[in-house]
Amino acid sequence: MKSLATWTWISRVRERETLKLYLEHAKLVLGVLEHAHRALVAYSSNDKQALEAEWSEVFRLEREADSVKRRILVDLATGVFHAVDREELTRLILVSDDVASRAKAWTRRLELATYNSIPRTLLELLVKMASRVVEAYKLIIEATSRLVAGDSKSVLEIC
């Protein structure tokens, strides 16, 4: 029985360490989302210079997030984790990576699009959607921070 308790304790410690690393990744993804949102605003204002600057930041932050993602996946592959925890953490990091990749893709498409080719009403909706994605991702970071702190009850409230 002692070895099972020890195993569970080690697994939980490793899970928290990985969640802390995930928070690092999530903050980079949030940066990608915020700059991608600003890129939409710049495009809708016909501010080519701002769009270019935002694209550069999106590209840089997404690359950094990819680097952290790889570290997490190596940790999950080699660390002591319960199989269910490993699967859930892997899914979490891959979905977050997809969010960053999609924001990068929409920013890249904006840079390639001809100005005034996207109807103004559609642009306004896209800006609003991007803003809501940023807000939703902030909630994910908040929920994860509380999970790391051991406050699982408030995590459910956030969700």
Side-chain angles (χ1 to χ4, degrees):
M1 256 339 202
K2 265 188 173 177
S3 64
L4 179 60
T6 303
W7 175 266
T8 302
W9 181 80
I10 291 171
S11 178
R12 292 290 173 225
V13 169
R14 290 297 306 255
E15 181 182 329
R16 276 211 168 105
E17 290 171 1
T18 302
L19 281 171
K20 286 178 186 176
L21 193 53
Y22 169 73
L23 276 173
E24 181 182 333
H25 179 266
K27 289 174 184 175
L28 290 167
V29 171
L30 179 61
V32 169
L33 292 170
E34 289 171 335
H35 285 283
H37 175 261
R38 289 185 202 135
L40 273 165
V41 172
Y43 180 90
S44 65
S45 303
N46 289 325
D47 189 343
K48 295 173 182 150
Q49 188 174 4
L51 176 59
E52 183 66 34
E54 296 302 340
W55 161 246
S56 293
E57 277 303 293
V58 165
F59 187 82
R60 181 185 69 76
L61 289 168
E62 198 269 343
R63 184 180 292 167
E64 272 187 61
D66 272 349
S67 175
V68 174
K69 174 194 76 175
R70 283 189 288 279
R71 285 188 358 229
I72 294 170
L73 291 175
V74 166
D75 191 40
L76 287 171
T78 60
V80 178
F81 293 94
H82 186 278
V84 173
D85 294 338
R86 177 179 286 122
E87 182 180 337
E88 292 299 320
L89 289 167
T90 300
R91 188 174 306 146
L92 178 65
I93 191 68
L94 293 176
V95 168
S96 292
D97 183 59
D98 286 345
V99 169
S101 295
R102 285 183 172 86
K104 179 182 172 186
W106 94 52
T107 306
R108 182 65 179 152
R109 286 182 180 95
L110 282 175
E111 192 169 76
L112 298 173
T114 306
Y115 279 89
N116 298 319
S117 64
I118 302 173
R120 176 73 39 205
T121 53
L122 180 57
L123 263 176
E124 290 169 1
L125 286 173
L126 292 173
V127 169
K128 185 184 277 188
M129 286 172 58
S131 176
R132 289 188 177 160
V133 169
V134 168
E135 293 309 311
Y137 209 79
K138 286 178 181 177
L139 290 173
I140 290 170
I141 290 173
E142 178 64 24
T144 305
S145 296
R146 291 187 186 192
L147 190 60
V148 168
D151 185 6
S152 57
K153 185 175 182 176
S154 68
V155 171
L156 291 176
E157 290 171 11
I158 290 170
C159 292

